[in-house]
């Protein structure tokens, strides 16, 4: 496991799913973590269960909140080494013909403005420090039409491009930036889109697994482990990349003679 002893890490959307798994892994690796989320109850509960974590109530679409989040990390812990801009949900779903302008704007705010704000406010501190790592959650749907709702797919494609282009600006400041593209993880993002309760996640995961190359779904911990690697010193020459962690899901289907029929 990479060593994050003494490092200060922010994880947005850190109260649940991929974010919560990442918070646990960062703490296990020695980091001091600021959990940022809209969900105060879950965020405070998770922070309270860990030795080196605090919760900062944050709406990642709000400039004021993200600015306050970065200030909280530096005032509490004296520096900011890593920000994982991860919060999100599907946003607008259904036919493009029925998508309202308000839902379009809200989805882009949640998935793209949030990443812009995290990059901007954390980037300022990291530039002054001369070091830092930024990781953004993208998705296989950024490059695979049909894997998510329309606006979600467009937003994740924007996250990939924003990551790559800003990483080139930031390289000379000692800041690395990458994004990570999970395959389908049976979290609340998926259960809520299906209108199912949280407890349905395991059953939904089983159904998804049957269609996947490795016969199992991606887990939040699979993403957390890859996130830690990308944010660690072991990845010191990796920047402006999108790492897919999907067990081969988006690559295609294994060839078989059935394709000939
Ligand atoms: N689950 C998947 O299959 C999957 C696949 C690819 C990418 N992703 C991406 O992974 C990220 C995390 O998703 P997840 O699957 O862990 O979902 P999740 O629903 O389990 O967790 C998302 C967290 O984000 C928080 N959040 C939502 N809106 C927020 C806001 N405005 N401000 C602050 N916090 C907010 C929620 O409260 C929740 O704690 C998202 O960006 C999602 O698009 C997920």
């Amino acid at each position: 496991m990479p060593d994050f002893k003494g490092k200060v890490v922010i994880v947005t959307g850190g109260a649940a799913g991929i974010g919560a798994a990442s918070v646990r892994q960062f703490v296990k690796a020695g980091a001091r973590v600021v959990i940022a989320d809209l969900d105060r109850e879950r965020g405070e509960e998770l922070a309270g269960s860990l030795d080196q974590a605090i919760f900062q109530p944050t709406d990642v679409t709000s400039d004021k909140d993200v600015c306050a989040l970065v200030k909280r990390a530096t005032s509490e812990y004296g520096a900011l080494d890593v920000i994982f801009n991860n919060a999100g949900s599907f946003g607008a779903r259904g036919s493009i013909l029925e998508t309202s302008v308000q839902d379009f704007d809200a989805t882009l705010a949640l998935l793209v403005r949030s990443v812009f704000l995290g990059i901007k406010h954390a980037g300022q501190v990291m530039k002054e420090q001369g070091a830092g790592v930024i990781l953004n959650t993208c998705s296989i749907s950024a490059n695979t039409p049909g894997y998510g709702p329309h606006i979600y797919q467009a937003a994740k494609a924007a996250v990939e491009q924003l990551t790559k282009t800003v990483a080139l600006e930031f390289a000379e400041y000692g800041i690395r930036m990458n994004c990570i593209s999970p395959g389908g993880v049976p979290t609340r993002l998926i259960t809520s889109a299906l209108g199912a309760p949280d407890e349905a996640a395991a059953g939904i995961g089983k159904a998804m697994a049957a269609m996947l190359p490795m016969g199992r779904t991606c887990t939040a911990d699979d993403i957390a482990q890859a996130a830690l690697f990308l944010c660690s010193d072991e990845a010191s020459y990796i920047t402006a990349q999108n790492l897919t962690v999907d067990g081969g899901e988006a690559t295609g289907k294994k060839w078989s003679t059935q394709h000939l029929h």
Side-chain angles (χ1 to χ4, degrees):
M1 170 174 273
D3 186 3
F4 282 88
K5 243 176 250 114
K7 303 260 189 196
V8 180
V9 176
I10 290 175
V11 180
T12 75
I18 292 167
S22 303
V23 166
R24 289 195 192 91
Q25 293 289 342
F26 275 120
V27 168
K28 205 165 148 195
R32 290 167 290 168
V33 178
V34 183
I35 301 167
D37 208 290
L38 267 185
D39 189 334
R40 184 183 278 269
E41 201 183 320
R42 281 175 197 253
E44 279 175 350
E45 194 184 317
L46 180 58
S49 72
L50 299 168
D51 275 345
Q52 301 200 94
I54 53 173
F55 174 69
Q56 172 76 10
T58 308
D59 177 352
V60 290
T61 68
S62 157
D63 189 25
K64 193 166 113 294
D65 279 16
V66 178
C67 183
L69 168 65
V70 169
K71 281 210 177 103
R72 174 94 195 269
T74 54
S75 62
E76 196 87 27
Y77 294 133
L80 176 59
D81 299 292
V82 174
I83 186 166
F84 185 12
N85 295 307
N86 163 76
S89 74
F90 273 144
R93 302 197 297 270
S95 166
I96 198 77
L97 302 176
E98 281 144 29
T99 301
S100 70
V101 170
Q102 287 85 348
D103 285 351
F104 174 87
D105 287 347
T107 305
L108 285 189
L110 174 59
L111 295 172
V112 186
R113 188 204 293 164
S114 60
V115 173
F116 156 69
L117 291 173
I119 292 171
K120 181 179 152 94
H121 291 294
Q124 187 58 45
V125 170
M126 291 173 177
K127 184 181 174 190
E128 285 157 21
Q129 292 174 167
V133 183
I134 301 174
L135 181 64
N136 305 316
T137 303
C138 188
S139 166
I140 53 172
S141 55
N143 293 294
T144 321
Y147 270 63
H150 300 306
I151 316 305
Y152 181 87
Q153 298 224 173
K156 292 299 189 181
V159 168
E160 179 173 9
Q161 292 310 314
L162 192 62
T163 301
K164 291 181 175 178
T165 182
V166 180
L168 298 180
E169 177 186 336
F170 278 6
E172 66 184 276
Y173 307 143
I175 303 171
R176 294 189 299 107
M177 176 154 59
N178 295 291
C179 58
I180 189 162
S181 283
V185 187
T187 60
R188 272 200 296 161
L189 174 126
I190 301 224
T191 52
S192 65
L194 293 170
D198 290 1
E199 307 75 61
I204 293 167
K206 246 189 191 161
M208 288 162 67
M211 299 178 285
L212 296 172
M214 293 179 75
R216 71 165 180 90
T217 55
C218 186
T219 66
D221 265 330
D222 288 324
I223 305 306
Q225 301 283 6
L228 256 71
F229 167 68
L230 284 173
C231 295
S232 72
D233 291 345
E234 280 78 6
S236 68
Y237 204 56
I238 302 178
T239 198
Q241 301 304 309
N242 177 10
L243 178 67
T244 296
V245 182
D246 74 342
E249 178 180 359
T251 302
K253 298 229 178 306
K254 152 175 108 169
W255 185 85
S256 90
T257 48
Q258 285 172 354
H259 287 108
L260 301 174
H261 299 298

